[in-house]
Amino acid sequence: MRPLSSFYENSSDPSRKPSAEAEAIQGNYNGKGVLDEVDVKGVTWTRYTAETGTVYMYAKAPCGKTVHMFFDNGITWDDALPMMENVVLK
């Protein structure tokens, strides 16, 4: 199983909604790709899947900040899901 490429707190605007973050990154891909929401262990993540296969995930942490996770380099959703299930937002 490959590791996730990155996980970090998004500090550009901690109150910005996950959907706004995902829409902003979609703009970098000329509006192409797929936006949806997925539930992972009770956390609703806004998921943007670019045509390149890179997947960007955004969620609101209990502390009120929006967090961002992404994976690429051939990692499929099936590969990433077990890793995401181990993420604890605080």
Side-chain angles (χ1 to χ4, degrees):
M1 188 178 301
R2 297 178 200 138
L4 291 178
S5 297
S6 179
F7 177 69
Y8 65 93
E9 178 182 300
N10 184 345
S11 60
S12 63
D13 183 351
S15 63
R16 193 168 176 182
K17 292 182 179 180
S19 59
E21 293 288 349
E23 289 168 359
I25 201 75
Q26 184 181 35
N28 292 342
Y29 289 90
N30 298 318
K32 297 179 180 179
V34 177
L35 275 173
D36 62 359
E37 288 187 343
V38 294
D39 183 79
V40 179
K41 293 188 80 171
V43 176
T44 300
W45 290 85
T46 301
R47 174 175 61 182
Y48 168 65
T49 306
E51 288 184 319
T52 62
T54 300
V55 178
Y56 298 85
M57 306 292 293
Y58 300 90
K60 187 68 80 172
C63 68
K65 295 187 178 189
T66 296
V67 294
H68 169 205
M69 181 184 306
F70 75 94
F71 43 94
D72 59 6
N73 296 322
I75 297 174
T76 68
W77 178 247
D78 290 336
D79 292 337
L81 186 56
M83 292 181 276
M84 289 194 62
E85 291 174 336
N86 289 314
V87 172
V88 176
L89 301 180
K90 297 180 178 185

